[in-house]
Amino acid sequence: VQIKVQVFDNSDLSPLADAQVEVHGNQTILASSRAGSDGVLRVSFLYRTGTWVIITASKQDYVTNSVPWHSSRIPLYASVSLYLLVQRPGTLILYDDVLQVLSGSPGARNQPLVQLQRKSLHLPSNSNYTALAAALTTARTQYEIGGFPFLLGQETNSSGAETGWTDLTALAVVSIQLFDKDGSAIQVSDPIHISVPLPSDTRNRMATSVPAWLYQPKTGLWVRNGTGYIKKDGTQFVWNVVVPQMGYWLAAFPSSSGLGLSHPGLRDITTYHTLFLLSILGSLALLVLILLCVLLYYCRCGERRRRSQL
């Protein structure tokens, strides 16, 4: 099958030249090429009807984006469009013991924050701390979450074997990158602490734990890797998580847990907690009703005994 892929800059919808486009399927890369000066390319690959593939587009200084694609018949013509968000530069603050990456001015409230141990940085021999640069990009609205890789998670069984894909419902997402002066990624050995405010229009209104997912560029899928926690900071809900490496990180529930987003309809964590509380209140109401019935029974028994004694 042949698919026409168009890549655009999400900020002004201008064609994005030289973007890297890949087609993922069955844990392998089926096709890979670069867009031309007009942001357009045509990718051809062997396709089995009814199966799903993931088409991704990436470019330096941009957030990777992707879209799933499938067809029940071999089409005569097909096209997809991908819109890439520009990565936002991070503010670096280096202390004796830690390195902090902010998404705004120091001291401001409700802003993304990444913190790691200074000793965990593995700098090249020809580089130093003053040459470091960072990109810290988060989704400020639910709409911007769509500018990150598509929300498909890799399902695994109890033994770790891969069993399929699952839809994910995202609460927060972040891309954190650290570079040296040559633009090469800096490796980190110790855990990284991430704090990300939830998008302003998120429907979550409760503190809770939430699975953390790491994006895998080789497969185009999100893979679960740990658990984060949502806490309330003033009027803002914030996702806090400790992760082992840089990259794309997502706070999301899988649809299979009953908390995710599935094609027939929408569910969110607020609905889940509401139903949970309603079930508790219903149980309490039933218990009170039973106690009232028992009390009424004993009152009638006592009244009959008094009458019989008279």
Side-chain angles (χ1 to χ4, degrees):
V1 68
Q2 185 180 83
I3 300 178
K4 177 183 177 182
V5 182
Q6 304 174 85
V7 186
F8 300 94
D9 186 315
N10 191 70
S11 60
D12 58 7
L13 303 184
S14 61
L16 202 56
D18 203 37
Q20 180 71 35
V21 175
E22 294 179 340
V23 181
H24 302 268
N26 196 25
Q27 306 298 311
T28 60
I29 297 178
L30 304 177
S32 179
S33 186
R34 290 189 177 273
S37 58
D38 57 354
V40 176
L41 77 156
R42 288 173 172 79
V43 289
S44 300
F45 55 94
L46 294 176
Y47 178 71
R48 183 163 56 91
T49 55
T51 59
W52 285 90
V53 297
I54 301 175
I55 303 174
T56 66
S58 59
K59 184 178 173 67
Q60 187 174 1
D61 300 328
Y62 285 84
V63 175
T64 298
N65 199 357
S66 64
V67 61
W69 185 90
H70 94 294
S71 178
S72 58
R73 301 169 57 191
I74 298 297
L76 297 177
Y77 173 81
S79 68
V80 299
S81 299
L82 290 165
Y83 302 85
L84 305 191
L85 291 171
V86 178
Q87 286 187 339
R88 304 186 187 109
T91 301
L92 286 171
I93 302 180
L94 180 65
Y95 296 99
D96 291 340
D97 53 346
V98 298
L99 172 69
Q100 291 184 345
V101 183
L102 312 173
S103 187
S105 59
R109 292 179 59 84
N110 298 329
Q111 65 172 331
L113 170 65
V114 175
Q115 182 170 292
L116 59 150
Q117 294 295 316
R118 176 182 176 182
K119 64 181 181 180
S120 67
L121 298 174
H122 298 291
L123 300 179
S125 57
N126 61 344
S127 183
N128 54 57
Y129 292 107
T130 61
L132 290 177
L136 178 57
T137 310
T138 62
R140 294 171 292 192
T141 64
Q142 288 291 325
Y143 171 78
E144 285 193 351
I145 291 180
F148 285 76
F150 194 83
L151 304 179
L152 278 177
Q154 176 68 66
E155 287 186 317
T156 56
N157 56 25
S158 57
S159 62
E162 299 170 353
T163 58
W165 299 354
T166 180
D167 292 326
L168 301 174
T169 295
L171 298 180
V173 64
V174 60
S175 168
I176 172 65
Q177 311 289 337
L178 196 62
F179 309 100
D180 63 12
K181 61 181 180 180
D182 298 324
S184 302
I186 299 296
Q187 300 300 319
V188 179
S189 58
D190 289 343
I192 304 166
H193 297 256
I194 298 177
S195 177
V196 178
L198 269 58
S200 56
D201 56 350
T202 183
R203 292 180 295 174
N204 177 73
R205 290 295 180 270
M206 282 193 176
T208 184
S209 60
V210 57
W213 303 73
L214 172 65
Y215 178 68
Q216 299 289 347
K218 293 183 178 180
T219 62
L221 297 171
W222 297 89
V223 176
R224 184 166 179 175
N225 193 320
T227 301
Y229 299 90
I230 295 175
K231 298 180 180 180
K232 191 173 184 180
D233 183 9
T235 60
Q236 178 72 49
F237 285 89
V238 179
W239 178 46
N240 295 281
V241 65
V242 179
V243 300
Q245 66 183 71
M246 300 285 183
Y248 293 81
W249 288 93
L250 175 73
F253 289 107
S255 59
S256 58
S257 71
L259 300 176
L261 177 148
S262 57
H263 297 300
L266 297 176
R267 291 183 178 181
D268 62 14
I269 186 173
T270 306
T271 304
Y272 169 77
H273 283 289
T274 301
L275 294 175
F276 182 70
L277 292 175
L278 286 175
S279 65
I280 294 177
L281 292 175
S283 300
L284 290 175
L286 180 61
L287 180 61
V288 171
L289 181 61
I290 294 174
L291 291 176
L292 287 175
C293 292
V294 173
L295 181 61
L296 182 60
Y297 172 78
Y298 278 107
C299 288
R300 288 183 176 179
C301 290
E303 184 177 353
R304 290 175 182 175
R305 289 176 182 174
R306 285 195 299 270
R307 288 179 179 179
S308 62
Q309 290 175 356
L310 294 176

